[in-house]
């Protein structure tokens, strides 16, 4: 068999990569050890969350499928951080863990130009420094011009519950052995990381009357621009641990694979195990636990906040001290997974390895944590593999364009010592990267690539037209004191003493633009019923205009440095006066621009000044 692109692994990265390649017109195959596990929500049955929701929306704007699958399988939808500024608003859905993979598998099977192959890859074939194909456990050779490796937690995966170690990348599934060792032989540096999952309990054994309900939004919003309506079907429930819980869990620390050194890989700092929380925050008397239903047709409940690899008896004893879980029946104990990853400084911004031409990495293999981070990388790798096959240029996103750009820039430029996850605080241009700007920023790019349909593009164009209309009309409109009186009083705002531009009044943080439009009897308000987000977007533009303009000026300065290119193969050792650390870091990462060089930890401002001057003289 022979394909243009082979995608290895059927997780979130593999799904996006395979669909993108196929839709871009290259013959693609997705290889999975078990086709029935494709799209499985291995850990938390949810999509989105703080900053992760931004990634999910960006995937949708570029023509990816995560948002569509999340909407189709969602059982609860919520917009997070709405008490804060719009830059950090982020959507999240609770999902049915049986429906999500079912919809994913059906989508893959119906994608033209995509073939699903159930096999175990034992070897990646390289001819010189160029990828040529793979060999499977059945000794079959499959040729390919490009390969996207989405290994997840399966590369030499080892699972731990207490001191019991079992080979596997996920419960009940075998690891992928030999591949990472083989790639390391080609000079690609690898390491070990760790992640974990909490126990699952039977909903029928939980006393929800002593828990606090966490309901979805009254007017739930979908992830995808192509989804009309989503509904909330189930609630989640919150409870807390106690000092008694912590004392019981401490009794198992001497049998913890993490504390006894059985696990060497670093775990996620911002999603730690319960035992790690107890050890690190010893003075904290309790930790929040959220009980999340795993679906409509299952009684399984995910105990969010209780990720652990402690022995089974300790897990059970600790759980039963938590309100609501005193009679909890555990369906599956928590466990940790330790797995191989490859340091992502060895990648281009298109996620192609620098060592082997045509080999791309996406997902946890690059040291990231989370479905959304994996899917983002899978989409970018898929686009670039397809473009490479077609003989076209590389597709990249900058830090000022997308959270996906922030994610990949951080991976390439920073040394990943622990599982990376995205945060809004990592995006210096987050006011520009709001979820209400996502389609303006990225949908035209997705359309030009051929991943966004003409119908979807026309619908976005209509929202742009309405935005322009509303901005123009607001700038022209004025409101009199009598017109504004009732609205301002209801908002506890000072009244007007003279006729004032609507834009000026709309800058007040508690005064809704829609209310002002109603007060002046704006005759086009019905136009916005088809695109209700337009009014909110214009309101945000008005209120944050000064900050937005400042960030746009910063972006232009950022772009100036990005345009200062560093020649491929440039020898940083020839630059006099560079610090030793700068030479080492620059030589390892090999930045393609002065801007990228300036974001590498250990490269100082003086090093950048020296390099800039040297490049000017060289030109």
């Amino acid at each position: 068999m022979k394909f243009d692109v082979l995608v290895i692994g059927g997780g979130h990265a593999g799904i996006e990569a395979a669909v993108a390649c196929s839709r871009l017109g290259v013959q693609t195959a997705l290889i999975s050890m078990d086709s029935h596990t494709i799209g499985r929500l291995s850990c938390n049955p949810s999509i989105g969350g703080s900053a992760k929701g931004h990634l999910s929306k960006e995937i949708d704007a570029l023509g990816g499928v995560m948002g569509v699958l999340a909407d189709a399988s969602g059982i609860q939808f919520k917009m997070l951080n709405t008490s804060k500024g719009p830059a950090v608003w982020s959507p999240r859905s609770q999902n049915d863990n049986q429906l999500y993979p079912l919809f994913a598998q059906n989508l893959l099977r119906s994608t033209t130009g995509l073939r699903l192959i159930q096999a175990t890859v034992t070897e990646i074939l390289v001819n010189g420094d160029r990828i040529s194909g793979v060999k499977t456990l059945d000794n079959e050779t499959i040729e390919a011009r490009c390969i996207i490796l989405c290994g997840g937690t399966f590369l030499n995966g080892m699972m731990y519950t207490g001191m019991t170690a079992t080979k596997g990348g996920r419960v009940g599934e075998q690891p992928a052995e030999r591949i990472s060792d083989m790639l390391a032989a080609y000079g690609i540096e690898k390491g070990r990381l760790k992640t974990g999952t909490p126990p699952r309990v039977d909903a029928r054994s939980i006393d929800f009357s002593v828990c606090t309900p966490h309901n979805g939004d009254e007017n739930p919003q979908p992830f995808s621009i192509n989804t009309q309506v989503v509904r909330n079907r189930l609630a989640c429930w919150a409870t807390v641990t106690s000092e008694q819980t912590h004392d019981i869990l401490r009794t198992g620390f001497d049998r913890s694979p993490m504390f006894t050194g059985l696990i060497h890989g670093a775990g996620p700092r911002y999603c730690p195990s319960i035992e790690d929380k107890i050890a690190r925050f010893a003075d904290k008397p309790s930790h929040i636990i959220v009980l999340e239903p795993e679906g409509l047709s299952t009684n399984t409940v995910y105990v969010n906040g209780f990720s652990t690899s402690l022995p089974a008896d300790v897990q059970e004893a600790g759980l039963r001290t938590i309100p609501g879980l005193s009679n909890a029946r555990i369906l599956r104990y928590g466990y940790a997974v330790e797995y191989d990853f490859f340091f992502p400084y060895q990648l281009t911004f298109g996620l192609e390895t620098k060592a082997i031409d045509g080999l791309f990495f996406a997902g946890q293999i690059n040291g990231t944590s989370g479905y959304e981070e994996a899917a983002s990388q899978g989409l970018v790798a898929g686009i670039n593999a397809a473009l490479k096959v077609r003989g076209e240029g590389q597709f990249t996103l900058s830090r000022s364009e997308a959270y996906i750009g922030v994610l990949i820039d951080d991976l390439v430029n920073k040394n990943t010592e622990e599982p990376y996850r995205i945060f809004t605080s990592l995006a210096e241009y987050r006011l520009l990267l709001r979820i209400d700007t996502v389609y303006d920023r990225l949908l035209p790019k997705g359309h030009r690539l051929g991943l966004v349909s003409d119908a979807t593009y026309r619908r976005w164009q209509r929202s742009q037209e309405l935005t322009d209309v509303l901005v123009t009309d607001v700038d022209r409109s004025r409101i009199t004191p009598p017109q504004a009186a009732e609205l301002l009083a209801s908002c506890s705002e000072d009244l007007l003493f003279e006729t004032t531009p609507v834009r000026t009044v709309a800058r007040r943080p508690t005064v809704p633009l829609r209310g002002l439009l109603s007060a002046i009897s704006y005759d086009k308000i019905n136009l916005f019923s088809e695109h209700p987000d337009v009014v909110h977007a214009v309101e945000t533009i008005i209120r944050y205009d000064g900050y937005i303009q400042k960030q746009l000026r910063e972006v232009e300065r950022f772009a100036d440095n990005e345009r200062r290119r560093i020649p491929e193969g440039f020898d940083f050792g020839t630059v006099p006066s560079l610090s030793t650390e700068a030479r080492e870091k620059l030589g390892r990462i090999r930045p393609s621009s002065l801007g990228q060089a300036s974001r590498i930890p250990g490269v100082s401002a003086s090093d950048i000044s020296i390099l800039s001057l040297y490049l000017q003289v060289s030109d």
Side-chain angles (χ1 to χ4, degrees), residues 348-349 351 377 380 403-413:
T348 68
F349 286 119
L351 299 182
Q377 296 169 69
V380 171
Y403 273 86
I404 296 175
V406 173
L407 164 70
I408 294 175
D409 190 76
D410 280 353
L411 290 177
V412 173
N413 287 326

Side-chain angles (χ1 to χ4, degrees), residues 427-461:
E428 58 270 50
Y429 308 115
R430 56 186 170 275
L431 192 54
L432 302 178
L433 305 184
R434 309 184 310 272
I435 58 169
D436 61 284
T437 67
V438 65
Y439 296 106
D440 303 340
R441 291 183 277 118
L442 300 178
L443 192 136
K445 295 178 184 289
H447 184 253
R448 284 195 297 271
L449 285 166
L451 294 175
V452 172
S453 71
D454 290 341
T456 300
Y457 185 67
R458 285 192 296 270
R459 198 158 61 250
W460 167 78
Q461 285 181 311

Side-chain angles (χ1 to χ4, degrees), residues 148-179:
I148 305 173
L149 182 57
C150 310
T153 59
F154 285 82
L155 297 181
N156 288 333
M158 187 71 74
M159 301 180 295
Y160 298 88
T161 298
M163 303 303 286
T164 301
T166 308
K167 286 185 176 182
R170 188 163 52 197
V171 67
E173 298 180 51
Q174 292 300 307
E177 300 179 306
R178 295 176 52 189
I179 291 178

